[in-house]
Amino acid sequence: APEVTLTELEHQIQSFLEGRLPADAAHDLDHIRRVVKNCRYLTEIESANSQITIPAAWLHDCGTLPTDSPDRARSSQIAAAAATEFLAQIAWPEALMPEIYHAIEAHSFSAGIVARSVEARVVQDADRLDALGAVGIARCARTGASLGSALYRAEDPFCEARDPDDRAYVIDHFYAKLLKLPDTMQTEAGRAEAHRRAAVMRDYLEQLRTEIL
């Protein structure tokens, strides 16, 4: 059994994270808490090892670079290294480190690393779920505002006759990435929840259409 309980570990991780500034508004401590909540749900359903998934979910963004950083694709490996270094300092079991490292490095959309364990699949899905649904809409708008993007392109708001440009328009990000996420989900429970949340986003887009066109 680990020398530190999972509950004690979570308190220590929260203190550690509170001392670090988030890379951007969409990756703050509230985002991390929601990912941990999603992770608990998926860990139970998928019978994954919570001693791997929970620390990985808490620490998955602890080395994250800003969205517009040229090194963004390396963020998850930087976070994985920082996380396992921190966990080693508080005597979390050494044997779990490679799996925790892998779950963190593989969670990132931009890194393109294949999740090869059920724990890595759970953490990846838990993180992606937070980009969908009501919270996904709000995060997308916040990120767009911080990047100086317009809400939509008046001539073709819903990318019907053009390729999405999500650097320039917030709504384009739905088409460039967010609505494609349900098909990338790695667990059955994650996929079902992702489709539920994507439906909320499609309803929002339909409502937006009636308001702007």
Side-chain angles (χ1 to χ4, degrees), residues 4 9 12-13 16 51-52 54-56 58-59 80-94 96-97 100-101 104:
V4 186
L9 174 80
Q12 294 195 38
I13 291 176
F16 168 69
Q51 294 189 336
I52 295 167
I54 301 299
W58 273 111
L59 294 165
T84 46
E85 190 181 323
F86 168 74
L87 291 169
Q89 286 168 7
I90 59 170
W92 198 241
E94 185 75 25
L96 300 174
M97 296 305 181
I100 292 171
Y101 186 100
I104 294 174

PDB file of all heavy atoms in Angstrom, residues 4 9 12-13 16 51-52 54-56 58-59 80-94 96-97 100-101 104:
ATOM      1  N   VAL A   4       1.405   7.246   1.297  1.00  0.00           N
ATOM      2  CA  VAL A   4       0.504   8.397   1.347  1.00  0.00           C
ATOM      3  C   VAL A   4      -0.843   7.907   0.816  1.00  0.00           C
ATOM      4  O   VAL A   4      -0.885   7.208  -0.187  1.00  0.00           O
ATOM      5  CB  VAL A   4       1.031   9.513   0.405  1.00  0.00           C
ATOM      6  CG1 VAL A   4       0.217  10.783   0.544  1.00  0.00           C
ATOM      7  CG2 VAL A   4       2.499   9.788   0.649  1.00  0.00           C
ATOM      8  N   LEU A   9      -2.688  12.665  -0.816  1.00  0.00           N
ATOM      9  CA  LEU A   9      -1.992  13.042  -2.051  1.00  0.00           C
ATOM     10  C   LEU A   9      -2.713  14.199  -2.746  1.00  0.00           C
ATOM     11  O   LEU A   9      -2.093  15.176  -3.166  1.00  0.00           O
ATOM     12  CB  LEU A   9      -1.927  11.842  -3.000  1.00  0.00           C
ATOM     13  CG  LEU A   9      -1.344  12.166  -4.386  1.00  0.00           C
ATOM     14  CD1 LEU A   9       0.169  12.222  -4.326  1.00  0.00           C
ATOM     15  CD2 LEU A   9      -1.787  11.152  -5.422  1.00  0.00           C
ATOM     16  N   GLN A  12      -2.074  17.487  -1.106  1.00  0.00           N
ATOM     17  CA  GLN A  12      -0.710  17.956  -1.403  1.00  0.00           C
ATOM     18  C   GLN A  12      -0.605  18.485  -2.833  1.00  0.00           C
ATOM     19  O   GLN A  12       0.044  19.504  -3.072  1.00  0.00           O
ATOM     20  CB  GLN A  12       0.299  16.821  -1.175  1.00  0.00           C
ATOM     21  CG  GLN A  12       0.395  16.423   0.294  1.00  0.00           C
ATOM     22  CD  GLN A  12       1.632  15.583   0.579  1.00  0.00           C
ATOM     23  OE1 GLN A  12       2.692  15.808   0.034  1.00  0.00           O
ATOM     24  NE2 GLN A  12       1.482  14.601   1.459  1.00  0.00           N
ATOM     25  N   ILE A  13      -1.250  17.789  -3.759  1.00  0.00           N
ATOM     26  CA  ILE A  13      -1.210  18.243  -5.155  1.00  0.00           C
ATOM     27  C   ILE A  13      -1.911  19.597  -5.293  1.00  0.00           C
ATOM     28  O   ILE A  13      -1.418  20.487  -5.975  1.00  0.00           O
ATOM     29  CB  ILE A  13      -1.852  17.207  -6.103  1.00  0.00           C
ATOM     30  CG1 ILE A  13      -0.985  15.941  -6.180  1.00  0.00           C
ATOM     31  CG2 ILE A  13      -2.013  17.794  -7.507  1.00  0.00           C
ATOM     32  CD1 ILE A  13      -1.581  14.812  -7.022  1.00  0.00           C
ATOM     33  N   PHE A  16       0.327  22.295  -4.170  1.00  0.00           N
ATOM     34  CA  PHE A  16       1.386  22.439  -5.183  1.00  0.00           C
ATOM     35  C   PHE A  16       0.863  23.246  -6.378  1.00  0.00           C
ATOM     36  O   PHE A  16       1.510  24.184  -6.848  1.00  0.00           O
ATOM     37  CB  PHE A  16       1.836  21.034  -5.609  1.00  0.00           C
ATOM     38  CG  PHE A  16       2.718  20.974  -6.827  1.00  0.00           C
ATOM     39  CD1 PHE A  16       4.025  21.465  -6.803  1.00  0.00           C
ATOM     40  CD2 PHE A  16       2.257  20.384  -8.005  1.00  0.00           C
ATOM     41  CE1 PHE A  16       4.842  21.368  -7.925  1.00  0.00           C
ATOM     42  CE2 PHE A  16       3.073  20.284  -9.133  1.00  0.00           C
ATOM     43  CZ  PHE A  16       4.372  20.784  -9.090  1.00  0.00           C
ATOM     44  N   GLN A  51      -4.923   4.948  -8.458  1.00  0.00           N
ATOM     45  CA  GLN A  51      -3.627   5.455  -7.983  1.00  0.00           C
ATOM     46  C   GLN A  51      -2.765   5.965  -9.144  1.00  0.00           C
ATOM     47  O   GLN A  51      -1.751   6.635  -8.930  1.00  0.00           O
ATOM     48  CB  GLN A  51      -2.888   4.363  -7.214  1.00  0.00           C
ATOM     49  CG  GLN A  51      -3.609   4.002  -5.924  1.00  0.00           C
ATOM     50  CD  GLN A  51      -2.790   3.082  -5.053  1.00  0.00           C
ATOM     51  OE1 GLN A  51      -1.919   2.362  -5.532  1.00  0.00           O
ATOM     52  NE2 GLN A  51      -3.056   3.118  -3.766  1.00  0.00           N
ATOM     53  N   ILE A  52      -3.196   5.653 -10.356  1.00  0.00           N
ATOM     54  CA  ILE A  52      -2.543   6.197 -11.557  1.00  0.00           C
ATOM     55  C   ILE A  52      -3.387   7.337 -12.131  1.00  0.00           C
ATOM     56  O   ILE A  52      -2.884   8.427 -12.386  1.00  0.00           O
ATOM     57  CB  ILE A  52      -2.347   5.088 -12.624  1.00  0.00           C
ATOM     58  CG1 ILE A  52      -1.374   4.023 -12.107  1.00  0.00           C
ATOM     59  CG2 ILE A  52      -1.850   5.683 -13.944  1.00  0.00           C
ATOM     60  CD1 ILE A  52      -1.353   2.741 -12.935  1.00  0.00           C
ATOM     61  N   ILE A  54      -5.932   9.276 -10.918  1.00  0.00           N
ATOM     62  CA  ILE A  54      -6.242  10.498 -10.144  1.00  0.00           C
ATOM     63  C   ILE A  54      -5.027  11.444 -10.064  1.00  0.00           C
ATOM     64  O   ILE A  54      -5.152  12.634 -10.374  1.00  0.00           O
ATOM     65  CB  ILE A  54      -6.832  10.168  -8.743  1.00  0.00           C
ATOM     66  CG1 ILE A  54      -8.122   9.333  -8.878  1.00  0.00           C
ATOM     67  CG2 ILE A  54      -7.087  11.433  -7.954  1.00  0.00           C
ATOM     68  CD1 ILE A  54      -9.282   9.984  -9.624  1.00  0.00           C
ATOM     69  N   PRO A  55      -3.821  10.949  -9.676  1.00  0.00           N
ATOM     70  CA  PRO A  55      -2.670  11.856  -9.714  1.00  0.00           C
ATOM     71  C   PRO A  55      -2.398  12.403 -11.125  1.00  0.00           C
ATOM     72  O   PRO A  55      -2.078  13.584 -11.286  1.00  0.00           O
ATOM     73  CB  PRO A  55      -1.494  10.982  -9.256  1.00  0.00           C
ATOM     74  CG  PRO A  55      -2.074   9.780  -8.632  1.00  0.00           C
ATOM     75  CD  PRO A  55      -3.464   9.614  -9.140  1.00  0.00           C
ATOM     76  N   ALA A  56      -2.579  11.564 -12.141  1.00  0.00           N
ATOM     77  CA  ALA A  56      -2.336  12.024 -13.521  1.00  0.00           C
ATOM     78  C   ALA A  56      -3.330  13.121 -13.910  1.00  0.00           C
ATOM     79  O   ALA A  56      -2.953  14.116 -14.536  1.00  0.00           O
ATOM     80  CB  ALA A  56      -2.421  10.855 -14.498  1.00  0.00           C
ATOM     81  N   TRP A  58      -4.947  15.202 -11.836  1.00  0.00           N
ATOM     82  CA  TRP A  58      -4.606  16.424 -11.088  1.00  0.00           C
ATOM     83  C   TRP A  58      -3.411  17.150 -11.705  1.00  0.00           C
ATOM     84  O   TRP A  58      -3.359  18.383 -11.711  1.00  0.00           O
ATOM     85  CB  TRP A  58      -4.279  16.076  -9.633  1.00  0.00           C
ATOM     86  CG  TRP A  58      -5.457  16.012  -8.712  1.00  0.00           C
ATOM     87  CD1 TRP A  58      -5.979  14.896  -8.113  1.00  0.00           C
ATOM     88  CD2 TRP A  58      -6.269  17.109  -8.260  1.00  0.00           C
ATOM     89  NE1 TRP A  58      -7.061  15.226  -7.326  1.00  0.00           N
ATOM     90  CE2 TRP A  58      -7.258  16.580  -7.399  1.00  0.00           C
ATOM     91  CE3 TRP A  58      -6.251  18.478  -8.511  1.00  0.00           C
ATOM     92  CZ2 TRP A  58      -8.220  17.373  -6.779  1.00  0.00           C
ATOM     93  CZ3 TRP A  58      -7.210  19.276  -7.888  1.00  0.00           C
ATOM     94  CH2 TRP A  58      -8.178  18.725  -7.040  1.00  0.00           C
ATOM     95  N   LEU A  59      -2.446  16.394 -12.186  1.00  0.00           N
ATOM     96  CA  LEU A  59      -1.173  16.997 -12.618  1.00  0.00           C
ATOM     97  C   LEU A  59      -1.023  17.101 -14.137  1.00  0.00           C
ATOM     98  O   LEU A  59       0.037  17.479 -14.624  1.00  0.00           O
ATOM     99  CB  LEU A  59      -0.006  16.184 -12.026  1.00  0.00           C
ATOM    100  CG  LEU A  59       0.105  16.248 -10.491  1.00  0.00           C
ATOM    101  CD1 LEU A  59       1.023  15.142  -9.963  1.00  0.00           C
ATOM    102  CD2 LEU A  59       0.610  17.621 -10.029  1.00  0.00           C
ATOM    103  N   ALA A  80       4.396  15.842 -17.680  1.00  0.00           N
ATOM    104  CA  ALA A  80       4.636  14.477 -17.185  1.00  0.00           C
ATOM    105  C   ALA A  80       5.921  14.419 -16.370  1.00  0.00           C
ATOM    106  O   ALA A  80       5.978  13.786 -15.306  1.00  0.00           O
ATOM    107  CB  ALA A  80       4.695  13.498 -18.357  1.00  0.00           C
ATOM    108  N   ALA A  81       6.954  15.107 -16.839  1.00  0.00           N
ATOM    109  CA  ALA A  81       8.234  15.131 -16.129  1.00  0.00           C
ATOM    110  C   ALA A  81       8.094  15.871 -14.793  1.00  0.00           C
ATOM    111  O   ALA A  81       8.558  15.390 -13.746  1.00  0.00           O
ATOM    112  CB  ALA A  81       9.305  15.791 -16.994  1.00  0.00           C
ATOM    113  N   ALA A  82       7.420  17.033 -14.817  1.00  0.00           N
ATOM    114  CA  ALA A  82       7.224  17.817 -13.588  1.00  0.00           C
ATOM    115  C   ALA A  82       6.371  17.046 -12.576  1.00  0.00           C
ATOM    116  O   ALA A  82       6.638  17.051 -11.374  1.00  0.00           O
ATOM    117  CB  ALA A  82       6.570  19.161 -13.919  1.00  0.00           C
ATOM    118  N   ALA A  83       5.356  16.349 -13.081  1.00  0.00           N
ATOM    119  CA  ALA A  83       4.444  15.593 -12.208  1.00  0.00           C
ATOM    120  C   ALA A  83       5.163  14.443 -11.513  1.00  0.00           C
ATOM    121  O   ALA A  83       5.034  14.270 -10.292  1.00  0.00           O
ATOM    122  CB  ALA A  83       3.274  15.057 -13.031  1.00  0.00           C
ATOM    123  N   THR A  84       5.918  13.663 -12.273  1.00  0.00           N
ATOM    124  CA  THR A  84       6.570  12.500 -11.666  1.00  0.00           C
ATOM    125  C   THR A  84       7.685  12.944 -10.714  1.00  0.00           C
ATOM    126  O   THR A  84       7.910  12.300  -9.684  1.00  0.00           O
ATOM    127  CB  THR A  84       7.105  11.520 -12.741  1.00  0.00           C
ATOM    128  OG1 THR A  84       7.798  12.245 -13.755  1.00  0.00           O
ATOM    129  CG2 THR A  84       5.960  10.748 -13.394  1.00  0.00           C
ATOM    130  N   GLU A  85       8.305  14.059 -11.012  1.00  0.00           N
ATOM    131  CA  GLU A  85       9.323  14.613 -10.097  1.00  0.00           C
ATOM    132  C   GLU A  85       8.671  15.010  -8.764  1.00  0.00           C
ATOM    133  O   GLU A  85       9.165  14.682  -7.685  1.00  0.00           O
ATOM    134  CB  GLU A  85       9.960  15.839 -10.763  1.00  0.00           C
ATOM    135  CG  GLU A  85      11.173  16.374 -10.049  1.00  0.00           C
ATOM    136  CD  GLU A  85      11.741  17.616 -10.756  1.00  0.00           C
ATOM    137  OE1 GLU A  85      11.724  17.651 -12.005  1.00  0.00           O
ATOM    138  OE2 GLU A  85      12.158  18.545 -10.042  1.00  0.00           O
ATOM    139  N   PHE A  86       7.518  15.682  -8.859  1.00  0.00           N
ATOM    140  CA  PHE A  86       6.791  16.082  -7.648  1.00  0.00           C
ATOM    141  C   PHE A  86       6.329  14.857  -6.856  1.00  0.00           C
ATOM    142  O   PHE A  86       6.476  14.788  -5.635  1.00  0.00           O
ATOM    143  CB  PHE A  86       5.592  16.961  -8.029  1.00  0.00           C
ATOM    144  CG  PHE A  86       4.632  17.186  -6.893  1.00  0.00           C
ATOM    145  CD1 PHE A  86       4.959  18.043  -5.840  1.00  0.00           C
ATOM    146  CD2 PHE A  86       3.409  16.534  -6.853  1.00  0.00           C
ATOM    147  CE1 PHE A  86       4.082  18.238  -4.772  1.00  0.00           C
ATOM    148  CE2 PHE A  86       2.521  16.722  -5.792  1.00  0.00           C
ATOM    149  CZ  PHE A  86       2.865  17.586  -4.752  1.00  0.00           C
ATOM    150  N   LEU A  87       5.773  13.859  -7.544  1.00  0.00           N
ATOM    151  CA  LEU A  87       5.263  12.656  -6.873  1.00  0.00           C
ATOM    152  C   LEU A  87       6.383  11.864  -6.205  1.00  0.00           C
ATOM    153  O   LEU A  87       6.192  11.277  -5.141  1.00  0.00           O
ATOM    154  CB  LEU A  87       4.509  11.769  -7.873  1.00  0.00           C
ATOM    155  CG  LEU A  87       3.180  12.345  -8.387  1.00  0.00           C
ATOM    156  CD1 LEU A  87       2.659  11.522  -9.555  1.00  0.00           C
ATOM    157  CD2 LEU A  87       2.137  12.417  -7.272  1.00  0.00           C
ATOM    158  N   ALA A  88       7.562  11.876  -6.813  1.00  0.00           N
ATOM    159  CA  ALA A  88       8.709  11.175  -6.225  1.00  0.00           C
ATOM    160  C   ALA A  88       9.105  11.842  -4.900  1.00  0.00           C
ATOM    161  O   ALA A  88       9.447  11.166  -3.930  1.00  0.00           O
ATOM    162  CB  ALA A  88       9.881  11.181  -7.193  1.00  0.00           C
ATOM    163  N   GLN A  89       9.010  13.180  -4.868  1.00  0.00           N
ATOM    164  CA  GLN A  89       9.369  13.930  -3.648  1.00  0.00           C
ATOM    165  C   GLN A  89       8.433  13.593  -2.483  1.00  0.00           C
ATOM    166  O   GLN A  89       8.839  13.648  -1.334  1.00  0.00           O
ATOM    167  CB  GLN A  89       9.287  15.446  -3.910  1.00  0.00           C
ATOM    168  CG  GLN A  89      10.427  15.977  -4.743  1.00  0.00           C
ATOM    169  CD  GLN A  89      10.145  17.403  -5.223  1.00  0.00           C
ATOM    170  OE1 GLN A  89       9.161  18.026  -4.827  1.00  0.00           O
ATOM    171  NE2 GLN A  89      11.021  17.916  -6.069  1.00  0.00           N
ATOM    172  N   ILE A  90       7.162  13.271  -2.800  1.00  0.00           N
ATOM    173  CA  ILE A  90       6.236  12.977  -1.698  1.00  0.00           C
ATOM    174  C   ILE A  90       6.036  11.471  -1.533  1.00  0.00           C
ATOM    175  O   ILE A  90       5.047  11.031  -0.948  1.00  0.00           O
ATOM    176  CB  ILE A  90       4.892  13.716  -1.863  1.00  0.00           C
ATOM    177  CG1 ILE A  90       4.198  13.329  -3.178  1.00  0.00           C
ATOM    178  CG2 ILE A  90       5.073  15.224  -1.792  1.00  0.00           C
ATOM    179  CD1 ILE A  90       2.779  13.844  -3.271  1.00  0.00           C
ATOM    180  N   ALA A  91       6.960  10.698  -2.067  1.00  0.00           N
ATOM    181  CA  ALA A  91       7.002   9.242  -1.848  1.00  0.00           C
ATOM    182  C   ALA A  91       5.786   8.483  -2.372  1.00  0.00           C
ATOM    183  O   ALA A  91       5.318   7.539  -1.760  1.00  0.00           O
ATOM    184  CB  ALA A  91       7.220   8.940  -0.360  1.00  0.00           C
ATOM    185  N   TRP A  92       5.254   8.919  -3.515  1.00  0.00           N
ATOM    186  CA  TRP A  92       4.222   8.108  -4.182  1.00  0.00           C
ATOM    187  C   TRP A  92       4.940   6.896  -4.791  1.00  0.00           C
ATOM    188  O   TRP A  92       6.095   7.025  -5.213  1.00  0.00           O
ATOM    189  CB  TRP A  92       3.527   8.939  -5.262  1.00  0.00           C
ATOM    190  CG  TRP A  92       2.196   8.391  -5.707  1.00  0.00           C
ATOM    191  CD1 TRP A  92       1.867   7.986  -6.959  1.00  0.00           C
ATOM    192  CD2 TRP A  92       1.018   8.203  -4.914  1.00  0.00           C
ATOM    193  NE1 TRP A  92       0.562   7.556  -6.992  1.00  0.00           N
ATOM    194  CE2 TRP A  92       0.013   7.672  -5.750  1.00  0.00           C
ATOM    195  CE3 TRP A  92       0.717   8.414  -3.560  1.00  0.00           C
ATOM    196  CZ2 TRP A  92      -1.262   7.344  -5.298  1.00  0.00           C
ATOM    197  CZ3 TRP A  92      -0.549   8.103  -3.108  1.00  0.00           C
ATOM    198  CH2 TRP A  92      -1.528   7.571  -3.967  1.00  0.00           C
ATOM    199  N   PRO A  93       4.301   5.724  -4.816  1.00  0.00           N
ATOM    200  CA  PRO A  93       5.025   4.511  -5.225  1.00  0.00           C
ATOM    201  C   PRO A  93       5.759   4.624  -6.572  1.00  0.00           C
ATOM    202  O   PRO A  93       5.152   4.956  -7.588  1.00  0.00           O
ATOM    203  CB  PRO A  93       3.911   3.459  -5.303  1.00  0.00           C
ATOM    204  CG  PRO A  93       2.868   3.944  -4.380  1.00  0.00           C
ATOM    205  CD  PRO A  93       2.909   5.438  -4.435  1.00  0.00           C
ATOM    206  N   GLU A  94       7.040   4.348  -6.515  1.00  0.00           N
ATOM    207  CA  GLU A  94       7.943   4.402  -7.675  1.00  0.00           C
ATOM    208  C   GLU A  94       7.399   3.573  -8.846  1.00  0.00           C
ATOM    209  O   GLU A  94       7.473   3.983 -10.004  1.00  0.00           O
ATOM    210  CB  GLU A  94       9.300   3.839  -7.221  1.00  0.00           C
ATOM    211  CG  GLU A  94      10.408   3.910  -8.245  1.00  0.00           C
ATOM    212  CD  GLU A  94      10.960   5.318  -8.425  1.00  0.00           C
ATOM    213  OE1 GLU A  94      10.855   6.131  -7.490  1.00  0.00           O
ATOM    214  OE2 GLU A  94      11.475   5.582  -9.520  1.00  0.00           O
ATOM    215  N   LEU A  96       4.524   3.107  -9.910  1.00  0.00           N
ATOM    216  CA  LEU A  96       3.415   3.712 -10.658  1.00  0.00           C
ATOM    217  C   LEU A  96       3.879   4.836 -11.588  1.00  0.00           C
ATOM    218  O   LEU A  96       3.128   5.266 -12.467  1.00  0.00           O
ATOM    219  CB  LEU A  96       2.372   4.276  -9.683  1.00  0.00           C
ATOM    220  CG  LEU A  96       1.719   3.283  -8.713  1.00  0.00           C
ATOM    221  CD1 LEU A  96       0.819   4.031  -7.731  1.00  0.00           C
ATOM    222  CD2 LEU A  96       0.915   2.223  -9.463  1.00  0.00           C
ATOM    223  N   MET A  97       5.103   5.309 -11.396  1.00  0.00           N
ATOM    224  CA  MET A  97       5.568   6.510 -12.124  1.00  0.00           C
ATOM    225  C   MET A  97       5.523   6.384 -13.654  1.00  0.00           C
ATOM    226  O   MET A  97       5.049   7.305 -14.325  1.00  0.00           O
ATOM    227  CB  MET A  97       6.981   6.918 -11.680  1.00  0.00           C
ATOM    228  CG  MET A  97       7.073   7.335 -10.231  1.00  0.00           C
ATOM    229  SD  MET A  97       5.926   8.653  -9.755  1.00  0.00           S
ATOM    230  CE  MET A  97       6.407   8.808  -8.037  1.00  0.00           C
ATOM    231  N   ILE A 100       1.936   6.777 -14.758  1.00  0.00           N
ATOM    232  CA  ILE A 100       1.444   8.151 -14.555  1.00  0.00           C
ATOM    233  C   ILE A 100       2.047   9.066 -15.619  1.00  0.00           C
ATOM    234  O   ILE A 100       1.348   9.877 -16.234  1.00  0.00           O
ATOM    235  CB  ILE A 100       1.776   8.650 -13.124  1.00  0.00           C
ATOM    236  CG1 ILE A 100       0.952   7.850 -12.091  1.00  0.00           C
ATOM    237  CG2 ILE A 100       1.500  10.148 -12.990  1.00  0.00           C
ATOM    238  CD1 ILE A 100       1.358   8.095 -10.639  1.00  0.00           C
ATOM    239  N   TYR A 101       3.344   8.904 -15.852  1.00  0.00           N
ATOM    240  CA  TYR A 101       4.031   9.696 -16.890  1.00  0.00           C
ATOM    241  C   TYR A 101       3.319   9.502 -18.228  1.00  0.00           C
ATOM    242  O   TYR A 101       2.990  10.469 -18.928  1.00  0.00           O
ATOM    243  CB  TYR A 101       5.504   9.271 -16.994  1.00  0.00           C
ATOM    244  CG  TYR A 101       6.316  10.133 -17.941  1.00  0.00           C
ATOM    245  CD1 TYR A 101       7.139  11.156 -17.459  1.00  0.00           C
ATOM    246  CD2 TYR A 101       6.265   9.941 -19.316  1.00  0.00           C
ATOM    247  CE1 TYR A 101       7.882  11.953 -18.320  1.00  0.00           C
ATOM    248  CE2 TYR A 101       6.989  10.737 -20.195  1.00  0.00           C
ATOM    249  CZ  TYR A 101       7.800  11.740 -19.691  1.00  0.00           C
ATOM    250  OH  TYR A 101       8.524  12.543 -20.551  1.00  0.00           O
ATOM    251  N   ILE A 104      -0.134  11.147 -18.551  1.00  0.00           N
ATOM    252  CA  ILE A 104      -0.063  12.599 -18.738  1.00  0.00           C
ATOM    253  C   ILE A 104       0.441  12.952 -20.137  1.00  0.00           C
ATOM    254  O   ILE A 104      -0.133  13.802 -20.815  1.00  0.00           O
ATOM    255  CB  ILE A 104       0.823  13.252 -17.648  1.00  0.00           C
ATOM    256  CG1 ILE A 104       0.156  13.082 -16.276  1.00  0.00           C
ATOM    257  CG2 ILE A 104       1.055  14.735 -17.956  1.00  0.00           C
ATOM    258  CD1 ILE A 104       1.009  13.551 -15.102  1.00  0.00           C
TER     259      ILE A 104
END
